[in-house]
Amino acid sequence: LEAKEEFTHKTLAMDVMRPRRNDPALTVLTQDSMTVEDVEAIINETTYSGYPVVVSRESQRLVGFVLRRDLVISIESARKKQEGIVSSSIIYFTDHSPPLPPCSPSLLKLRSILDLSPFTVTDQTPMEIVVDIFRKLGLRQCLVTHNGKLLGIITKKDVLKHIAQMANQDPDSILFN
Ligand code: ADP
């Protein structure tokens, strides 16, 4: 018989990522179909540090990642300083503005605050490797995909908790100190 590890179940990215089974879905933004009001509601109803941006809810294709604080600052400033920005203005993260009916309110382009290449792993990636990537690249979060579709997110704190569970030790003493 080989070493014991071969028989024990390896923890995978899908076991650590959020949402967990039965949790509400990941909170995402769409690239060109949400209004200022929609995004403000998400900012007010959740406390996450950031939000993945997807092509559409149906496709769940990842476009990028936007930090909450950048969204808050940009929307506040656009509402004050940018002509025509109202609650019903569409926010877009794409290069070109989406086609809209004439007389629609001004659009708010937020491409400049979008991280277009957030780090991703697939759901089957062993956590050993995920931990290594967090350590070596100093990541704050990593997105999890399956067949190119966005599935979940793992934050640095999720990784620390996972390590603490594995080692039953104080998380801060292990990973980043
Ligand atoms: P931290 O993990 O440092 O508290 P967050 O406040 O961003 O950072 O995340 C809190 C928890 O919610 C984490 O377990 C994380 O995996 C999860 N999470 C982060 N962003 C999202 C999101 N956009 N949608 C759903 N869950 C998220």
Side-chain angles (χ1 to χ4, degrees):
L1 285 176
E2 289 301 319
K4 186 168 143 239
E5 282 104 75
E6 295 203 10
F7 297 97
T8 57
H9 170 70
K10 264 201 171 163
T11 310
L12 304 176
M14 62 177 295
D15 304 319
V16 174
M17 70 173 200
R18 304 302 163 111
R20 293 284 168 82
R21 261 179 284 274
N22 305 324
D23 278 357
L26 195 65
T27 303
V28 299
L29 306 181
T30 57
Q31 66 175 357
D32 62 2
S33 57
M34 292 175 78
T35 62
V36 165
E37 196 171 37
D38 294 336
V39 174
E40 284 171 339
I42 285 181
I43 291 169
N44 292 329
E45 287 159 16
T46 63
T47 58
Y48 305 126
S49 316
Y51 306 92
V53 175
V54 294
V55 172
S56 64
R57 287 188 195 282
E58 304 71 54
S59 75
Q60 288 294 312
R61 297 273 157 200
L62 181 65
V63 174
F65 190 80
V66 66
L67 290 176
R68 171 200 195 79
R69 61 160 190 274
D70 291 340
L71 269 179
V72 170
I73 293 169
S74 302
I75 294 176
E76 252 179 41
S77 135
R79 271 197 182 272
K80 278 194 207 130
K81 297 176 199 155
Q82 208 171 315
E83 184 88 45
I85 298 299
V86 292
S87 297
S88 58
S89 294
I90 295 279
I91 290 181
Y92 68 104
F93 295 94
T94 46
D95 227 350
H96 300 288
S97 55
L100 283 179
C103 303
S104 304
S106 303
L107 304 176
L108 176 53
K109 182 170 185 172
L110 291 185
R111 189 171 180 83
S112 62
I113 61 167
L114 186 66
D115 175 1
L116 286 163
S117 21
F119 212 89
T120 61
V121 295
T122 71
D123 57 341
Q124 298 301 313
T125 309
M127 274 309 290
E128 274 170 30
I129 293 178
V130 175
V131 169
D132 216 39
I133 295 171
F134 267 83
R135 278 200 183 117
K136 290 190 174 139
L137 301 183
L139 299 184
R140 304 208 59 94
Q141 70 277 314
C142 175
L143 299 173
V144 182
T145 59
H146 180 82
N147 286 342
K149 288 192 178 195
L150 179 64
L151 267 198
I153 186 167
I154 299 176
T155 65
K156 176 172 157 180
K157 219 181 256 177
D158 294 328
V159 171
L160 290 169
K161 280 188 211 150
H162 163 72
I163 293 175
Q165 270 170 13
M166 294 287 109
N168 224 348
Q169 285 179 41
D170 175 12
D172 292 316
S173 66
I174 310 164
L175 188 54
F176 295 103
N177 288 343

